[in-house]
Amino acid sequence: MSSKLKPCPKCGNRDIYFLRPTPFGTPAVWIATISCSCGITFNIHTKDKQEAISAWNKRS
Ligand SMILES: [Zn+2]
């Protein structure tokens, strides 16, 4: 199983910033954030890193 992030769909940058799932609030809502320096920010509601990565990859 690949855990690699695809390049940014907008600018092609491969240096993607991945913020691992973090809980917010009570009850906790888990949010992973993947973003690029071109301004794209993608929030994924998941506790699972793999799921966050595949959500990003499907989007591009
Ligand atoms: Zn970009």
Side-chain angles (χ1 to χ4, degrees):
M1 185 192 275
S2 173
S3 62
K4 290 234 173 102
L5 289 164
K6 281 190 182 176
C8 173
K10 186 177 167 191
C11 71
N13 184 9
R14 290 179 174 279
D15 191 17
I16 302 298
Y17 177 74
F18 180 80
L19 182 65
R20 67 198 163 103
T22 309
F24 291 97
T26 311
V29 175
W30 289 76
I31 300 174
T33 301
I34 298 176
S35 61
C36 174
S37 53
C38 73
I40 280 185
T41 299
F42 190 34
N43 292 316
I44 305 107
H45 290 230
T46 180
K47 206 173 177 177
D48 184 68
K49 188 183 172 185
Q50 275 301 331
E51 197 183 319
I53 290 168
S54 48
W56 166 268
N57 288 347
K58 271 183 211 148
R59 182 176 180 257
S60 38

Coordinates of all heavy atoms in Angstrom, one line a residue:
M1 N 0.8 -1.2 0.0 CA 0.0 0.0 0.0 C 0.9 1.3 0.0 O 1.8 1.4 0.8 CB -0.9 0.0 1.2 CG -1.9 1.2 1.2 SD -2.7 1.3 2.8 CE -4.0 0.1 2.6
S2 N 0.6 2.2 -0.9 CA 1.3 3.4 -1.0 C 0.8 4.4 0.0 O -0.4 4.6 0.1 CB 1.3 3.9 -2.4 OG 1.9 5.2 -2.4
S3 N 1.7 5.1 0.6 CA 1.3 6.2 1.5 C 1.8 7.5 1.0 O 1.9 8.5 1.7 CB 1.8 6.0 2.9 OG 3.2 5.9 2.9
K4 N 2.2 7.5 -0.3 CA 2.8 8.7 -0.9 C 1.7 9.7 -1.3 O 0.7 9.3 -1.9 CB 3.6 8.4 -2.1 CG 4.9 7.7 -1.8 CD 6.1 8.4 -2.4 CE 7.4 7.8 -1.9 NZ 8.0 6.9 -2.9
L5 N 1.9 11.0 -1.1 CA 1.0 12.0 -1.5 C 1.3 12.3 -3.0 O 2.5 12.5 -3.4 CB 1.2 13.2 -0.7 CG 0.7 13.2 0.7 CD1 1.3 14.3 1.5 CD2 -0.8 13.2 0.8
K6 N 0.2 12.4 -3.8 CA 0.4 12.9 -5.2 C 0.8 14.4 -5.2 O 0.5 15.1 -4.2 CB -0.9 12.7 -5.9 CG -1.1 11.3 -6.4 CD -2.3 11.3 -7.3 CE -2.6 9.8 -7.7 NZ -3.8 9.8 -8.6
P7 N 1.4 14.8 -6.2 CA 1.8 16.2 -6.3 C 0.5 17.1 -6.3 O -0.6 16.6 -6.6 CB 2.5 16.4 -7.7 CG 2.9 15.0 -8.1 CD 1.9 14.1 -7.4
C8 N 0.7 18.3 -6.0 CA -0.4 19.3 -5.9 C -1.2 19.3 -7.3 O -0.5 19.4 -8.3 CB 0.1 20.7 -5.6 SG -1.1 22.0 -5.7
P9 N -2.5 19.2 -7.2 CA -3.3 19.2 -8.5 C -3.3 20.5 -9.2 O -3.5 20.6 -10.4 CB -4.7 18.8 -8.1 CG -4.7 19.1 -6.6 CD -3.3 19.0 -6.1
K10 N -3.0 21.6 -8.5 CA -3.0 22.9 -9.0 C -1.7 23.3 -9.6 O -1.6 23.8 -10.8 CB -3.5 23.9 -8.0 CG -3.7 25.3 -8.5 CD -4.2 26.2 -7.4 CE -4.1 27.7 -7.8 NZ -4.4 28.5 -6.6
C11 N -0.6 23.2 -8.9 CA 0.7 23.7 -9.3 C 1.8 22.6 -9.5 O 2.8 22.9 -10.0 CB 1.2 24.7 -8.3 SG 1.8 24.0 -6.7
G12 N 1.4 21.4 -9.2 CA 2.4 20.3 -9.5 C 3.5 20.1 -8.4 O 4.4 19.3 -8.6
N13 N 3.5 21.0 -7.4 CA 4.5 20.9 -6.4 C 4.5 19.5 -5.7 O 3.4 19.0 -5.3 CB 4.2 22.0 -5.4 CG 5.2 22.1 -4.3 OD1 6.3 21.5 -4.3 ND2 5.0 23.0 -3.3
R14 N 5.6 19.0 -5.4 CA 5.7 17.7 -4.8 C 6.0 17.8 -3.3 O 5.9 16.9 -2.5 CB 6.8 16.8 -5.4 CG 6.5 16.4 -6.8 CD 7.6 15.5 -7.4 NE 7.1 15.0 -8.7 CZ 6.3 13.9 -8.8 NH1 6.0 13.2 -7.7 NH2 5.9 13.5 -10.0
D15 N 6.2 19.0 -2.9 CA 6.6 19.3 -1.5 C 5.3 19.6 -0.7 O 5.0 20.8 -0.4 CB 7.6 20.4 -1.4 CG 8.2 20.6 0.0 OD1 8.0 19.6 0.8 OD2 8.7 21.6 0.3
I16 N 4.5 18.6 -0.5 CA 3.1 18.8 0.1 C 3.3 18.7 1.6 O 4.0 17.9 2.2 CB 2.2 17.7 -0.4 CG1 2.1 17.7 -1.9 CG2 0.8 17.9 0.2 CD1 1.5 19.0 -2.5
Y17 N 2.5 19.6 2.3 CA 2.5 19.7 3.7 C 1.4 18.8 4.3 O 0.3 19.0 3.9 CB 2.4 21.1 4.2 CG 2.3 21.3 5.7 CD1 3.5 21.2 6.4 CD2 1.1 21.6 6.3 CE1 3.4 21.3 7.8 CE2 1.1 21.8 7.7 CZ 2.2 21.6 8.4 OH 2.1 21.8 9.8
F18 N 1.8 17.9 5.1 CA 0.8 17.0 5.7 C 0.8 17.2 7.2 O 1.8 17.0 7.9 CB 1.1 15.5 5.4 CG 0.1 14.6 6.0 CD1 -1.1 14.3 5.3 CD2 0.4 13.9 7.1 CE1 -2.0 13.4 5.9 CE2 -0.5 13.0 7.7 CZ -1.7 12.7 7.0
L19 N -0.4 17.6 7.7 CA -0.6 17.7 9.2 C -1.4 16.5 9.6 O -2.6 16.3 9.2 CB -1.3 19.0 9.5 CG -1.5 19.3 11.0 CD1 -0.2 19.5 11.7 CD2 -2.4 20.5 11.1
R20 N -0.8 15.7 10.5 CA -1.5 14.4 10.8 C -2.8 14.7 11.6 O -2.9 15.8 12.2 CB -0.5 13.5 11.6 CG -0.2 14.1 13.0 CD 1.1 13.4 13.5 NE 1.6 14.3 14.6 CZ 1.5 14.0 15.9 NH1 0.9 12.9 16.3 NH2 1.9 14.8 16.8
P21 N -3.7 13.7 11.6 CA -5.0 13.9 12.2 C -4.9 14.4 13.7 O -4.1 13.8 14.4 CB -5.6 12.5 12.1 CG -5.0 11.9 10.9 CD -3.6 12.4 10.9
T22 N -5.6 15.4 14.0 CA -5.6 16.0 15.3 C -7.1 16.2 15.8 O -7.9 16.6 15.0 CB -5.0 17.4 15.2 OG1 -3.7 17.3 14.6 CG2 -4.7 18.0 16.6
P23 N -7.3 15.9 17.0 CA -8.7 16.1 17.5 C -9.0 17.5 17.9 O -8.2 18.2 18.5 CB -8.7 15.2 18.8 CG -7.3 15.1 19.3 CD -6.4 15.3 18.0
F24 N -10.2 18.0 17.5 CA -10.6 19.3 17.9 C -12.0 19.2 18.6 O -12.9 18.5 18.2 CB -10.8 20.2 16.7 CG -9.6 20.6 16.0 CD1 -9.1 19.8 14.9 CD2 -8.8 21.6 16.4 CE1 -7.9 20.1 14.2 CE2 -7.6 21.9 15.8 CZ -7.2 21.2 14.7
G25 N -12.1 19.9 19.7 CA -13.4 20.0 20.4 C -13.8 18.8 21.2 O -13.0 17.8 21.3
T26 N -15.0 18.9 21.8 CA -15.6 17.8 22.6 C -17.0 17.6 22.2 O -17.8 18.6 22.3 CB -15.5 18.1 24.1 OG1 -14.2 18.5 24.4 CG2 -15.9 16.9 24.9
P27 N -17.5 16.5 21.7 CA -16.6 15.3 21.4 C -15.7 15.6 20.3 O -15.9 16.5 19.5 CB -17.7 14.3 21.0 CG -18.8 15.0 20.5 CD -18.9 16.3 21.3
A28 N -14.6 14.9 20.3 CA -13.5 15.2 19.3 C -13.9 15.0 17.9 O -14.5 14.0 17.5 CB -12.3 14.4 19.7
V29 N -13.5 16.0 17.1 CA -13.7 15.8 15.6 C -12.2 15.8 15.1 O -11.5 16.7 15.3 CB -14.4 17.0 15.0 CG1 -14.4 16.9 13.5 CG2 -15.8 17.1 15.5
W30 N -11.9 14.7 14.4 CA -10.5 14.5 13.9 C -10.4 15.1 12.5 O -11.2 14.8 11.6 CB -10.1 13.0 13.9 CG -9.9 12.5 15.3 CD1 -10.9 12.1 16.1 CD2 -8.7 12.2 15.9 NE1 -10.3 11.7 17.3 CE2 -9.0 11.7 17.2 CE3 -7.4 12.4 15.5 CZ2 -8.0 11.3 18.1 CZ3 -6.4 12.0 16.4 CH2 -6.7 11.5 17.7
I31 N -9.4 15.9 12.4 CA -9.2 16.6 11.1 C -7.7 16.5 10.7 O -6.8 16.9 11.5 CB -9.6 18.1 11.1 CG1 -11.1 18.2 11.5 CG2 -9.3 18.7 9.8 CD1 -11.6 19.6 11.7
A32 N -7.5 16.0 9.5 CA -6.1 16.0 8.9 C -6.1 17.1 7.9 O -7.1 17.3 7.2 CB -5.8 14.7 8.3
T33 N -5.0 17.8 7.8 CA -4.9 18.9 6.9 C -3.7 18.6 5.9 O -2.6 18.3 6.4 CB -4.7 20.2 7.6 OG1 -5.8 20.5 8.5 CG2 -4.6 21.4 6.6
I34 N -4.0 18.8 4.6 CA -3.0 18.6 3.6 C -3.0 19.9 2.8 O -4.0 20.4 2.4 CB -3.2 17.4 2.7 CG1 -3.2 16.1 3.5 CG2 -2.2 17.4 1.6 CD1 -3.5 14.9 2.7
S35 N -1.8 20.5 2.7 CA -1.8 21.8 2.0 C -0.5 22.0 1.2 O 0.4 21.3 1.4 CB -2.0 23.0 3.0 OG -0.9 23.0 3.9
C36 N -0.6 23.0 0.3 CA 0.5 23.3 -0.6 C 0.8 24.8 -0.5 O -0.1 25.6 -0.1 CB 0.1 22.9 -2.0 SG 1.3 23.4 -3.2
S37 N 2.1 25.1 -0.8 CA 2.5 26.5 -0.7 C 1.7 27.5 -1.7 O 1.7 28.7 -1.5 CB 4.0 26.7 -0.9 OG 4.4 26.1 -2.0
C38 N 1.1 26.9 -2.7 CA 0.3 27.7 -3.6 C -1.0 28.2 -3.1 O -1.7 29.0 -3.7 CB 0.1 26.9 -4.9 SG -1.1 25.6 -4.8
G39 N -1.4 27.7 -1.9 CA -2.6 28.2 -1.2 C -3.7 27.1 -1.1 O -4.7 27.4 -0.4
I40 N -3.5 26.0 -1.7 CA -4.5 24.9 -1.6 C -4.5 24.3 -0.2 O -3.4 24.0 0.3 CB -4.3 23.8 -2.6 CG1 -4.9 24.3 -4.0 CG2 -5.0 22.5 -2.2 CD1 -4.9 23.2 -5.0
T41 N -5.6 24.3 0.5 CA -5.7 23.6 1.8 C -6.8 22.6 1.7 O -7.9 23.0 1.3 CB -5.8 24.6 2.9 OG1 -4.7 25.5 2.9 CG2 -5.9 23.9 4.3
F42 N -6.6 21.4 2.1 CA -7.6 20.4 2.1 C -7.7 19.8 3.4 O -6.8 19.2 4.0 CB -7.1 19.3 1.0 CG -8.1 18.3 0.7 CD1 -9.5 18.6 0.6 CD2 -7.7 17.0 0.3 CE1 -10.4 17.7 0.2 CE2 -8.7 16.0 0.0 CZ -10.0 16.4 -0.1
N43 N -8.9 19.9 4.0 CA -9.2 19.3 5.3 C -10.0 18.0 5.2 O -11.0 18.0 4.5 CB -10.0 20.3 6.2 CG -9.2 21.5 6.6 OD1 -8.0 21.4 7.0 ND2 -9.8 22.7 6.5
I44 N -9.5 17.0 5.8 CA -10.2 15.7 5.7 C -10.6 15.3 7.1 O -9.8 15.2 8.0 CB -9.3 14.6 5.1 CG1 -8.7 15.1 3.8 CG2 -10.0 13.3 4.9 CD1 -7.2 15.5 3.8
H45 N -11.9 15.0 7.2 CA -12.4 14.5 8.5 C -12.2 13.1 8.7 O -12.9 12.2 8.3 CB -13.9 14.8 8.6 CG -14.2 16.3 8.7 ND1 -15.1 16.8 9.6 CD2 -13.8 17.3 8.0 CE1 -15.1 18.1 9.5 NE2 -14.4 18.5 8.5
T46 N -11.0 12.8 9.3 CA -10.7 11.4 9.5 C -9.6 11.3 10.6 O -8.9 12.2 10.9 CB -10.1 10.7 8.2 OG1 -9.8 9.4 8.5 CG2 -8.9 11.4 7.8
K47 N -9.6 10.1 11.2 CA -8.6 9.8 12.3 C -7.4 9.0 11.7 O -6.4 8.8 12.3 CB -9.3 9.0 13.3 CG -8.8 9.1 14.7 CD -9.8 8.3 15.6 CE -9.3 8.2 17.0 NZ -10.2 7.5 17.9
D48 N -7.6 8.6 10.4 CA -6.7 7.7 9.8 C -5.8 8.4 8.8 O -6.3 9.0 7.8 CB -7.5 6.6 9.2 CG -6.6 5.5 8.6 OD1 -6.0 4.8 9.4 OD2 -6.6 5.4 7.4
K49 N -4.5 8.3 9.0 CA -3.6 8.9 8.1 C -3.7 8.4 6.6 O -3.7 9.2 5.7 CB -2.2 8.7 8.6 CG -1.1 9.5 7.9 CD 0.3 9.1 8.4 CE 1.3 9.8 7.5 NZ 2.7 9.4 7.9
Q50 N -3.8 7.1 6.5 CA -3.9 6.5 5.2 C -5.2 7.0 4.4 O -5.1 7.3 3.2 CB -4.1 5.0 5.3 CG -2.7 4.3 5.4 CD -1.9 4.5 4.1 OE1 -2.3 4.8 3.0 NE2 -0.6 4.5 4.3
E51 N -6.3 7.2 5.2 CA -7.5 7.6 4.6 C -7.3 9.1 4.1 O -7.8 9.5 3.0 CB -8.6 7.5 5.6 CG -10.0 7.6 5.0 CD -11.1 7.6 6.1 OE1 -10.9 6.8 7.0 OE2 -12.0 8.3 6.0
A52 N -6.7 9.9 4.9 CA -6.4 11.3 4.5 C -5.6 11.3 3.3 O -5.9 12.1 2.3 CB -5.7 12.0 5.7
I53 N -4.6 10.5 3.2 CA -3.7 10.5 2.0 C -4.5 10.0 0.8 O -4.4 10.7 -0.3 CB -2.5 9.6 2.2 CG1 -1.6 10.3 3.3 CG2 -1.7 9.3 0.9 CD1 -0.5 9.4 3.8
S54 N -5.3 9.0 0.9 CA -6.0 8.5 -0.3 C -7.1 9.5 -0.7 O -7.4 9.7 -1.9 CB -6.6 7.1 -0.1 OG -7.2 7.0 1.1
A55 N -7.7 10.3 0.3 CA -8.6 11.3 -0.1 C -8.0 12.4 -0.9 O -8.5 12.9 -1.9 CB -9.3 11.9 1.2
W56 N -6.8 12.8 -0.5 CA -6.0 13.8 -1.3 C -5.7 13.3 -2.7 O -5.9 13.9 -3.7 CB -4.7 14.2 -0.5 CG -3.7 14.9 -1.4 CD1 -2.7 14.4 -2.1 CD2 -3.7 16.3 -1.6 NE1 -2.0 15.4 -2.8 CE2 -2.6 16.6 -2.4 CE3 -4.4 17.4 -1.1 CZ2 -2.2 17.9 -2.8 CZ3 -4.0 18.7 -1.5 CH2 -3.0 18.9 -2.3
N57 N -5.3 12.0 -2.7 CA -4.9 11.5 -4.0 C -6.0 11.3 -5.0 O -5.9 11.5 -6.2 CB -4.2 10.1 -3.8 CG -2.8 10.3 -3.2 OD1 -2.2 11.4 -3.2 ND2 -2.2 9.2 -2.7
K58 N -7.2 11.0 -4.4 CA -8.4 10.9 -5.3 C -8.8 12.2 -5.8 O -9.4 12.3 -6.9 CB -9.6 10.3 -4.5 CG -9.6 8.8 -4.5 CD -10.8 8.3 -3.7 CE -10.5 6.9 -3.1 NZ -11.3 6.8 -1.8
R59 N -8.6 13.3 -5.0 CA -9.0 14.6 -5.4 C -8.2 15.1 -6.6 O -8.7 15.8 -7.4 CB -8.8 15.5 -4.2 CG -9.3 16.9 -4.4 CD -9.1 17.6 -3.1 NE -9.5 19.0 -3.2 CZ -8.6 20.0 -3.3 NH1 -7.4 19.8 -3.3 NH2 -9.1 21.2 -3.4
S60 N -6.9 14.7 -6.7 CA -6.1 15.3 -7.8 C -6.3 14.6 -9.1 O -7.0 13.6 -9.2 CB -4.6 15.3 -7.3 OG -4.3 14.2 -6.6
Ligands
ZN1 ZN 0.2 23.7 -5.2

